[in-house]
Amino acid sequence: MTDLDLLHFEQLKKDVQAQYLKEYTPSYDEISKWKGIDIIYFQEDLRKKAKGNISEKSFYTYFKSSPVSKLPRIDMLNLLSIYAGYDSWYDFKKNHLFAGELLSDEKDLSDDELKELEKTVSSALNLPKTEEEPKKLEFNDKENTVLQENNTDNQLIEKKQPISELTPKTEIKPLKKSYQRIAWIAATFVFVILLGLLGFKDEIFQKTYVYCFTDADRNLNVQRDIEIKVIKENESPILYRIKPGECFIYPTKDKTLKMQISSTVYEDLEVNRNLENAPEEETIELKPDDYKMALYYFSIKDINGDNSEQLIKQKRKQLENLISNTATITQVYDSDIYGLETLDKQDYITLVTTPTTSLKNLNVIEMKKDKGKIVSIKFKISNHENNK
């Protein structure tokens, strides 16, 4: 990466901003001041024209500050270049060259580099031969003839002992070896058993408990995502996410279990169990939370068809009645710089009644109510880059 690449990226940001302003009128013309609904509309236009997406974290990292100190990934650069009307990031740079700039894949060797290369090649071709040819071995015919003589006149013939004399010795050695082998096999077998008991002691002594969840009003399996926090003494909580219709399977050798259960449309529940006399399978009822359920429904329900305007008006009216005028509404971002953003009641209602694909990823993290009104909402819109 060079400083010129960073300057090119600043040019690309201006082109992206100009492309968006051709069709839309955000709160501010300058892209670094966009937030909330402006970012969502920009993401929607990016998906439609460039068939890709960037997350709020990347937007805040690369568009909220200028100039940036590092470049985004090449796939994000290509995506933004296509949105601005170019074939790729390379094509964008080619059309915005600075004075005296050469792109890396078109750069030729200088005259000095060519001369140095010629010297290296010529010196390599004129290298003297330093290796000596191996000498051939010479054989003496006379010595060969002597070696090949076979004089048997003075050779001694070694007599073999009878087989019967060797039999006692050969019977004793295998007998001792067989006892040693049996002892080694037995010792190895005992060692393997002990090692297995040490390695799998948790699996041997632990038990598995199964917890299923039903709707207390409908007596049906819960068809929403469930989050379970297992609380252990002197340890950080362990978070489990259970998919709709599935049960929570928890193997443990502990004697007690403490769980905090939460969902987008059910009341929070804390469960404590003494596992010494608890059943291994249990069904837990979750009570629907009317306020959570209404807010979740209004936030994610798609609005399509001829009567979409009427449905939007109906949603706005219902949310007006549910949410307090002094409610604290906070949006959470995946960004180290911009972590939280506060919205007023009307901005939030506009956000959740605007039919965009981003609302499918809206998650209510926390909601509080007081005297029949929602007084606090904390939510997050999850995005995945290049989600086509």
Side-chain angles (χ1 to χ4, degrees):
M1 181 189 72
T2 64
D3 293 336
L4 292 178
D5 288 330
L6 295 176
L7 295 177
H8 281 307
F9 181 59
E10 295 299 325
Q11 291 177 325
L12 178 59
K13 287 160 62 175
K14 293 180 180 179
D15 280 20
V16 169
Q17 172 183 306
Q19 177 66 31
Y20 183 77
L21 292 177
K22 290 179 181 179
E23 301 181 17
Y24 299 91
T25 306
S27 304
Y28 300 92
D29 290 343
E30 188 176 344
I31 194 171
S32 62
K33 297 181 180 180
W34 294 355
K35 60 181 181 178
I37 193 69
D38 296 325
I39 299 175
I40 291 177
Y41 281 143
F42 169 68
Q43 290 174 320
E44 196 75 15
D45 197 44
L46 188 65
R47 293 188 194 98
K48 181 172 65 176
K49 294 180 178 177
K51 309 301 180 185
N53 183 47
I54 62 173
S55 66
E56 276 105 346
K57 180 179 180 181
S58 295
F59 184 90
Y60 275 87
T61 301
Y62 297 108
F63 287 90
K64 282 291 186 178
S65 58
S66 181
V68 296
S69 59
K70 64 177 182 178
L71 280 178
R73 300 198 311 263
I74 187 63
D75 55 347
M76 180 176 171
L77 293 171
N78 287 331
L79 180 67
L80 294 174
S81 300
I82 293 172
Y83 179 79
Y86 299 89
D87 294 335
S88 63
W89 168 242
Y90 176 80
D91 184 43
F92 174 81
K93 292 197 297 182
K94 187 171 65 174
N95 286 274
H96 294 77
L97 292 176
F98 296 104
E101 181 185 5
L102 291 175
L103 295 183
S104 59
D105 59 348
E106 294 182 353
K107 184 177 179 181
D108 296 326
L109 292 175
S110 63
D111 294 336
D112 294 337
E113 290 173 335
L114 289 173
K115 289 180 181 180
E116 187 68 22
L117 183 60
E118 290 177 357
K119 290 180 181 180
T120 303
V121 173
S122 61
S123 61
L125 293 174
N126 295 327
L127 286 175
K129 295 183 179 179
T130 57
E131 296 182 358
E132 295 183 358
E133 296 182 356
K135 295 182 179 181
K136 296 182 179 179
L137 295 176
E138 296 182 358
F139 295 95
N140 193 328
D141 294 339
K142 293 182 179 180
E143 293 178 357
N144 289 340
T145 54
V146 173
L147 290 174
Q148 292 176 354
E149 288 181 357
N150 190 10
N151 189 358
T152 58
D153 292 341
N154 298 322
Q155 291 182 1
L156 296 175
I157 297 175
E158 184 178 353
K159 293 183 180 180
K160 294 183 179 181
Q161 296 180 358
I163 297 176
S164 59
E165 295 180 2
L166 298 176
T167 302
K169 294 182 180 180
T170 56
E171 287 180 352
I172 296 173
K173 290 183 179 180
L175 191 60
K176 291 183 179 180
K177 289 183 178 180
S178 64
Y179 285 131
Q180 292 176 354
R181 182 176 299 176
I182 293 171
W184 276 109
I185 291 174
T188 304
F189 184 71
V190 173
F191 177 75
V192 170
I193 292 176
L194 293 175
L195 187 63
L197 290 174
L198 292 175
F200 297 97
K201 63 179 180 179
D202 291 339
E203 286 76 4
I204 294 173
F205 297 106
Q206 74 180 8
K207 295 176 66 175
T208 300
Y209 298 88
V210 180
Y211 297 96
C212 299
F213 305 93
T214 59
D215 189 304
D217 292 347
R218 299 171 181 84
N219 198 24
L220 298 173
N221 291 335
V222 172
Q223 297 302 317
R224 301 292 182 191
D225 290 340
I226 298 175
E227 289 190 354
I228 299 176
K229 285 184 179 179
V230 175
I231 311 298
K232 292 187 176 184
E233 189 176 356
N234 300 325
E235 292 185 17
S236 300
I238 304 174
L239 179 63
Y240 299 90
R241 286 187 173 86
I242 310 302
K243 294 182 179 180
E246 293 186 356
C247 298
F248 176 45
I249 302 174
Y250 184 64
T252 183
K253 61 182 187 307
D254 296 337
K255 296 182 179 180
T256 60
L257 175 62
K258 181 178 181 180
M259 298 185 292
Q260 292 179 353
I261 305 170
S262 60
S263 176
T264 54
V265 295
Y266 292 96
E267 294 182 356
D268 295 341
L269 178 65
E270 184 173 301
V271 176
N272 295 280
R273 290 290 182 269
N274 182 0
L275 299 180
E276 291 182 342
N277 53 12
E280 296 184 8
E281 295 186 8
E282 185 178 348
T283 299
I284 299 175
E285 290 187 346
L286 299 182
K287 186 177 181 181
D289 188 313
D290 295 335
Y291 294 94
K292 280 187 178 182
M293 188 170 293
L295 189 61
Y296 179 80
Y297 175 82
F298 295 142
S299 299
I300 69 168
K301 182 174 176 58
D302 292 331
I303 300 178
N304 294 307
D306 297 333
N307 60 342
S308 59
E309 293 184 3
Q310 181 179 355
L311 290 175
I312 290 175
K313 291 180 181 179
Q314 180 183 352
K315 286 177 64 176
R316 292 186 66 91
K317 184 177 179 180
Q318 290 172 320
L319 288 174
E320 286 278 1
N321 295 330
L322 280 173
I323 302 174
S324 171
N325 292 330
T326 59
T328 302
I329 304 174
T330 307
Q331 182 174 358
V332 181
Y333 292 97
D334 289 328
S335 173
D336 298 333
I337 303 174
Y338 299 91
L340 299 173
E341 181 178 339
T342 302
L343 288 76
D344 59 24
K345 176 180 176 180
Q346 295 304 321
D347 287 341
Y348 176 75
I349 293 176
T350 301
L351 175 64
V352 298
T353 55
T354 303
T356 62
T357 56
S358 297
L359 292 183
K360 294 180 180 179
N361 297 324
L362 187 145
N363 296 313
V364 178
I365 301 173
E366 183 183 57
M367 186 184 66
K368 297 179 181 178
K369 60 182 184 291
D370 183 31
K371 297 179 181 179
K373 292 284 187 178
I374 299 173
V375 296
S376 175
I377 302 173
K378 184 181 290 186
F379 71 97
K380 177 181 178 182
I381 298 178
S382 302
N383 277 316
H384 302 283
E385 293 187 8
N386 301 323
N387 185 15
K388 298 184 180 178

